[in-house]
Amino acid sequence: MSVQMDVRVLELPLRHAWTIARGTSTSKRNVIVELREAGVVARGEAAPNVRYGESAETVTEALGKLAPALEGDPWHFRVLSERVDAALPGNHAAKAALDIALHDLAGKRLGVPLYRMLGLDPANMPLTSFSIGIDDPATLARKVSEAEPYPVLKVKLGAKDVRETFGAVRAATSKPVRVDANEAWKPEEALAHIEWLAAQGVELVEQPLPAADVEGAKWLRQRSPLPLVADEALMMASDVPRLAEGYHGINVKLQKCGGIREALRIIETARACGLKVMIGCMVETGVGIAAAAHLGPLADWLDLDGNLLLSADPFQGHPVVDGRIRLGEGPGLGVEPRLRP
Ligand code: MG
C-alpha cells in the first residue's frame, strides 16, 4: 500500500448531557484515522451514528476491510475515495474518515488549505448555529446564556413539551433560532407547532416528520409558513430529487454521506433541484468539523458546532469568530492535535 493507515478510538466526554428526540448521551466514541505518506500525516474522523447501526467497533472493523482500497497513487484521491465507497455497502462514517483523510493528505502535500483546492472563498462563510439539546426550562436558560458568543441558536424539540421547551429558550434570548424535531412529529401536529414557532421568530424547522413519511412531507411543505429542511431523510445525492417536493432545503453531513466527495455531489444536486443547503455535523472533534467547514462557503446555513459540545476538543481546529468559523491558511484541513501523543 502506498499510504500507511493508523486507527484510534477516542473517548469524548460531552460538556452537557445531550438529549434529542431519539435519546440522551453523555459521551461519544469517535474514530480517528491517520494516513501517513512521505513524512506527511493526514487525518480523518468517523463519528458513528446509532441510527445507522454504527459504533466505534463497526467503524474499526470496516476500516480494516476498506484499507486495501487505498492502494494506489494518493494524488488520485477522488478515484481512491470512489474505490473505498464501492468496497463495502453502508459504513458511511468509516468511509467519511478515509475520504476526509485523503483530502487532508492532498492539501498537505500541495501546501494549500482544502477550501483553496475546492476554489472557495472563505469570506463567504455563513454564520454557524450553536445547538441546544432538550432540557428542563432552568437548564435551557443556562445553556442559552452559555451560548452568548453565538448569534444563531438551534434548539432541539421532541414529541412532548414543545411550547414549554421553546418558550424557555425564547424567554432567555431574542436571537434568531432554528428548530430541529428529529422526526418527532406527525403531520397535523407538526403544522400546528410550526405555525406557533413561526410566530416566535423561528428561522426554519429541520426534519419535523419521520424520514419515511414522504406523503406527509409533501402535505406539510404546501402548508408550512417556515422553510423545512431534510436531515434524517437525506443520505446521498440520489435522495435529493425526491426530497424537493417535501422540503425547502437539505442538511448535508459528511458522516451521513461518506465524506467530502459525496457531499459536493449532494450540494450540486440540491442546487439543481432548487433546494437550499445546510451543512451540519454530528458530535465530532475539530477534525470532522474542519472538513465540513471547508465546504461552508457553499451553504446557506451552517450548523457546525459538534466540537463545541465536547468537554475538551483534542484537536486545534478553526476558531469561531463573531459566529463564523474562520478558516486559516494551514494546509489540508488546517487541524493538528492539541497535545502530541
Ligand atoms: Mg438534524
Side-chain angles (χ1 to χ4, degrees), residues 22 25 184 273:
R22 271 191 293 281
S25 52
C273 293

Side-chain angles (χ1 to χ4, degrees), residues 15-70:
R15 200 181 286 264
H16 292 290
W18 175 245
T19 301
I20 65 167
R22 271 191 293 281
T24 297
S25 52
T26 56
S27 75
K28 187 83 201 286
R29 292 175 77 225
N30 286 359
V31 181
I32 297 291
V33 168
E34 287 185 348
L35 299 183
R36 286 189 165 72
E37 203 237 358
V40 176
V41 182
R43 293 179 187 84
E45 178 170 7
N49 190 334
V50 286
R51 190 178 188 277
Y52 308 116
E54 296 170 335
S55 65
E57 287 68 35
T58 68
V59 166
T60 306
E61 191 186 338
L63 287 168
K65 292 179 183 162
L66 293 169
L70 297 174

Side-chain angles (χ1 to χ4, degrees), residues 20 22 154 156 179-182 206-207 229-232 251 253 256 278 281 303:
I20 65 167
R22 271 191 293 281
K154 178 160 129 180
K156 297 286 190 176
V179 158
D180 190 353
N182 290 108
E206 211 176 297
Q207 203 63 55
V229 178
D231 181 357
E232 285 85 343
N251 185 349
K253 295 176 181 170
K256 280 194 299 183
M278 177 187 288
C281 62
D303 180 31

Side-chain angles (χ1 to χ4, degrees), residues 107-315:
K108 282 176 169 162
R109 291 176 81 200
L110 287 167
V112 298
L114 178 55
Y115 66 80
R116 196 158 294 154
M117 280 166 65
L118 299 172
L120 300 176
D121 181 353
N124 295 334
M125 189 70 81
L127 291 168
T128 183
S129 53
F130 182 85
S131 298
I132 295 189
I134 298 170
D135 233 308
D136 61 81
T139 310
L140 285 169
R142 185 162 51 79
K143 286 182 174 176
V144 169
S145 80
E146 284 176 19
E148 202 278 320
Y150 305 98
V152 183
L153 302 181
K154 178 160 129 180
V155 174
K156 297 286 190 176
L157 294 176
K160 287 186 278 184
D161 304 327
V162 165
R163 294 191 184 195
E164 271 167 275
T165 304
F166 189 84
V169 172
R170 198 27 111 211
T173 182
S174 57
K175 287 175 186 173
V177 178
R178 301 166 186 168
V179 158
D180 190 353
N182 290 108
E183 313 184 87
W185 301 337
K186 295 183 178 69
E188 279 85 7
E189 63 172 2
L191 182 58
H193 290 327
I194 292 167
E195 285 173 343
W196 181 79
L197 290 166
Q200 304 292 314
V202 165
E203 257 188 349
L204 59 85
V205 176
E206 211 176 297
Q207 203 63 55
L209 307 180
D213 190 356
V214 175
E215 290 308 310
K218 288 183 194 170
W219 180 89
L220 191 59
R221 190 196 192 283
Q222 286 165 11
R223 292 162 179 81
S224 173
L226 293 177
L228 304 177
V229 178
D231 181 357
E232 285 85 343
L234 171 84
M235 292 279 283
M236 315 297 283
S238 54
D239 296 323
V240 172
R242 68 177 171 74
L243 293 174
E245 282 185 277
Y247 300 87
H248 302 85
I250 47 112
N251 185 349
V252 191
K253 295 176 181 170
L254 303 187
Q255 298 293 329
K256 280 194 299 183
C257 72
I260 293 162
R261 183 181 53 80
E262 182 68 12
L264 291 169
R265 285 182 77 208
I266 291 174
I267 293 167
E268 301 295 2
T269 310
R271 294 307 186 190
C273 293
L275 289 166
K276 297 267 197 185
V277 172
M278 177 187 288
I279 299 178
C281 62
M282 307 296 181
V283 175
E284 301 172 45
T285 73
V287 171
I289 297 301
H294 282 273
L295 309 186
L298 292 169
D300 300 292
W301 305 300
L302 283 190
D303 180 31
L304 295 180
D305 62 346
N307 59 333
L308 305 173
L309 305 176
L310 302 175
S311 295
D313 185 346
F315 294 94

